[in-house]
């Protein structure tokens, strides 16, 4: 089962990713090109991660896994809150992180995106 440290390490391996605490001292935000693609509460007893997601895929994931819910405090159409409790396979959660990162990266200005990818 993934832990917060695993998620941090995985996200840190992606090009251009920075960690930030823009809201408070416990909400860890992962950004690429200054835009959020993942966030989690580092003080929570249960690990949840908010991830950006294609609206159609969001519906499929929510139907497949009760641990995937509309994004808490986020746009419910474009964000999911994923409970990381061992029920969803780790590789599936990592794919969700990849998808979120890719969605945000592709929406960045072309010059910013290219500078990240070519760094």
């Amino acid at each position: 089962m993934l832990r917060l440290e695993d998620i941090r390490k995985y996200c840190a391996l992606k090009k251009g990713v920075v960690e930030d605490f823009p809201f408070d001292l416990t909400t860890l935000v992962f950004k690429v090109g200054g835009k959020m693609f993942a966030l989690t509460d580092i003080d929570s007893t249960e690990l949840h991660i908010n991830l950006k997601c294609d609206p159609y895929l969001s519906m499929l994931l929510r139907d497949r896994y009760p641990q995937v819910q509309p994004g808490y405090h986020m746009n419910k159409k474009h964000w999911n809150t994923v409970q990381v409790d061992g029920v969803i396979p780790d590789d599936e959660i990592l794919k969700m992180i990849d998808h979120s990162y890719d969605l945000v990266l592709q929406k960045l200005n072309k010059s910013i995106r290219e500078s990240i990818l070519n760094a």
Side-chain angles (χ1 to χ4, degrees):
M1 182 171 80
L2 291 170
R3 298 168 298 134
L4 176 58
E5 299 79 25
D6 302 319
I7 291 171
R8 288 179 90 167
K9 287 178 186 175
Y10 188 75
C11 289
L13 292 173
K14 298 186 167 302
K15 288 189 172 204
V17 170
V18 296
E19 290 186 6
D20 194 8
F21 288 89
F23 305 116
D24 54 43
L25 298 176
T26 65
T27 305
L28 172 61
V29 176
F30 299 92
K31 294 180 177 182
V32 60
K35 303 291 184 180
M36 296 188 305
F37 72 92
L39 58 148
T40 187
D41 184 343
I42 61 171
D43 280 351
S44 179
T45 56
E46 295 181 354
L47 180 57
H48 293 83
I49 185 168
N50 282 13
L51 298 167
K52 195 155 185 130
C53 190
D54 171 80
Y56 179 72
L57 181 57
S58 284
M59 292 186 312
L60 296 176
L61 290 170
R62 292 172 192 171
D63 286 344
R64 183 172 182 192
Y65 300 111
Q67 295 80 9
V68 178
Q69 295 292 314
Y72 181 70
H73 285 301
M74 305 298 280
N75 180 314
K76 310 287 187 236
K77 181 178 179 181
H78 296 280
W79 288 84
N80 286 329
T81 297
V82 181
Q83 184 177 0
V84 183
D85 61 1
V87 174
I88 301 173
D90 291 353
D91 63 331
E92 187 75 14
I93 292 174
L94 297 179
K95 284 183 200 173
M96 291 180 204
I97 293 171
D98 292 342
H99 176 67
S100 182
Y101 173 86
D102 291 342
L103 280 176
V104 172
L105 184 67
Q106 292 308 311
K107 292 284 186 182
L108 294 175
N109 171 294
K110 183 180 178 182
S111 63
I112 294 172
R113 184 175 59 248
E114 287 178 355
S115 70
I116 290 168
L117 294 174
N118 296 326

